[in-house]
Amino acid sequence: MAAVFTLSEATFRSLRHTTHYWGAGPVDGPLMIFLHGWPEIGLVWRAQIEAFASEGWHCIAPDMRGYGGSSTPSASEDYALAEIVNDIVELHDHLGARPAIWIGHDLGSPVVGALASHHAERSRGVVFISIPYSPEAFALPSLLPLIDRKLYPAGEYQDGQWDYYRFYLTHFDQTVTDFNADIPATLAAIYRSGNPASVGKVYRSALVTRNEGWFGSAHRAPAMPPDPGLWPTADFDTLVEAFRATGFRPGNSWYLNDTANIAFAHAAPDGGRLRQPVLFVNGDFDGLCDITHNRVGDPMRNTCPDLSVRSLPSGHWLPLERKAELIQAIRSWLKTKAL
């Protein structure tokens, strides 16, 4: 009978940063580290942590810089990828620095990729979920050449599905204010399950500029209940409280460092190639970065020689939408690669 491990919380402090993290599993077990994206906290990984902890893995999921109980510096340059990677290196050292399986979702994926490319010795294998690896960094100049121009003609949709990213750069304060206007409603609106009917159609992220924001002229999210199939109620309440404490400014500041992030990517050894086993888990209904309907996965295919791809019927919030299926996809890959 598998051991049952309760999710616990801890905090690690260095001279430069404080990291709050969630964890479970035997401390002497093989290390598995989960990195969340926007706008999440480490608790997003509860299902995966509990599953792999019960199988003997020591599972850790930090609140990333700007989120939850971790440091929230005020300067936008403090959210450059190099700073975030340094946070995770310090945490990994604190945990004993044994080579780990690294798993990232959304903007956690670029952090995992940067760590694996700059610190290959820390990684036994890498899992990217929803956002594929790019040796050129997750940055608007790197993403634009990969847009499907049949779906997004340049004259009408200059930035394609990445229009929201441009809007963050041009209307940063408004975006933060709109998200902060009603935090429970904002998070409920963001976390919705994927819709198979959206495949092949213009995604809502491409319309943010013309709509003058994610929520249009209202400048606040419409009141709606959370999607019960995604976050457990108590965990969603914890997420809301985390964002009431930090607001959206720190998390959105991750988007403001394209120049520094590209330079950091270019400094990686071996052109940023990842020699470790790599798994990418794709969402079939993810209008932002489904690699089967656009070219956003091409850089990953070109720089990850030991690449496995698994597609699941999901939108962008894959760790929440397909909890059990994601666990099984990772488990199967670990077994196939003898990790």
Side-chain angles (χ1 to χ4, degrees):
M1 186 175 183
V4 176
F5 290 91
T6 303
L7 200 66
S8 63
E9 301 177 60
T11 300
F12 165 69
R13 293 180 174 86
S14 75
L15 293 174
R16 54 180 293 283
H17 181 67
T18 295
T19 297
H20 171 266
Y21 61 95
W22 310 79
V27 294
D28 59 348
L31 191 57
M32 184 178 286
I33 302 179
F34 299 82
L35 303 186
H36 72 77
W38 180 97
E40 300 167 347
I41 56 176
L43 197 56
V44 72
W45 299 107
R46 176 189 286 279
Q48 291 77 29
I49 287 174
E50 291 178 346
F52 286 108
S54 72
E55 297 173 13
W57 292 84
H58 184 201
C59 298
I60 299 293
D63 291 343
M64 305 294 281
R65 173 176 289 232
Y67 291 91
S70 296
S71 298
T72 55
S74 57
S76 60
E77 59 267 26
D78 288 332
Y79 295 91
L81 192 54
E83 293 292 333
I84 297 164
V85 168
N86 283 339
D87 298 342
I88 303 306
V89 166
E90 288 185 341
L91 176 63
H92 190 221
D93 285 344
H94 169 67
L95 296 168
R98 287 172 294 137
I101 301 296
W102 296 85
I103 302 173
H105 174 247
D106 186 76
L107 292 189
S109 288
V111 182
V112 165
L115 187 135
S117 62
H118 284 268
H119 303 280
E121 74 285 355
R122 295 179 180 271
S123 169
R124 295 171 54 209
V126 186
V127 181
F128 299 99
I129 302 168
S130 301
I131 290 182
Y133 175 64
S134 172
E136 295 292 323
F138 180 84
L140 196 57
S142 306
L143 295 166
L144 296 184
L146 305 174
I147 294 170
D148 176 2
R149 287 304 179 188
K150 291 183 179 179
L151 182 59
Y152 297 108
E156 188 175 0
Y157 300 101
Q158 176 185 349
D159 298 304
Q161 71 268 37
W162 306 108
D163 173 78
Y164 83 94
Y165 197 150
R166 179 77 68 190
F167 192 80
Y168 289 177
L169 301 179
T170 58
H171 295 77
F172 183 79
D173 288 337
Q174 181 205 316
T175 300
V176 169
T177 300
D178 289 0
F179 284 146
N180 285 344
D182 186 337
I183 283 173
T186 293
L187 291 167
I190 289 169
Y191 286 104
R192 312 311 294 185
S193 295
N195 180 2
S198 68
V199 175
K201 298 179 181 177
V202 170
Y203 194 54
R204 59 194 179 99
S205 63
L207 305 173
V208 173
T209 298
R210 69 180 63 184
N211 291 337
E212 300 181 359
W214 276 109
F215 309 124
S217 59
H219 294 298
R220 62 188 299 127
M224 64 175 64
D227 186 332
L230 300 183
W231 290 89
T233 300
D235 289 355
F236 185 80
D237 292 345
T238 300
L239 177 74
V240 169
E241 290 308 310
F243 275 89
R244 280 182 168 146
T246 65
F248 275 82
R249 181 173 295 274
N252 279 37
S253 294
W254 284 44
Y255 285 94
L256 302 182
N257 291 281
D258 278 359
T259 300
N261 292 348
I262 291 170
F264 183 53
H266 287 172
D270 196 18
R273 291 176 69 83
L274 302 187
R275 305 289 180 177
Q276 312 93 323
V278 172
L279 171 65
F280 177 69
V281 187
N282 182 67
D284 290 331
F285 319 143
D286 187 346
L288 196 61
C289 43
D290 161 29
I291 67 170
T292 62
H293 293 93
N294 61 55
R295 295 175 48 229
V296 72
D298 289 359
M300 177 176 64
R301 294 186 183 99
N302 294 334
T303 51
C304 298
D306 189 357
L307 173 66
S308 304
V309 175
R310 175 73 188 276
S311 286
L312 295 175
S314 176
H316 188 68
W317 310 113
L318 202 152
L320 296 171
E321 292 183 54
R322 296 292 174 180
K323 298 178 180 71
E325 294 94 328
L326 177 58
I327 292 164
Q328 182 53 39
I330 297 171
R331 183 187 290 130
S332 176
W333 172 75
L334 290 168
K335 183 178 180 180
T336 298
K337 298 298 177 181
L339 294 169

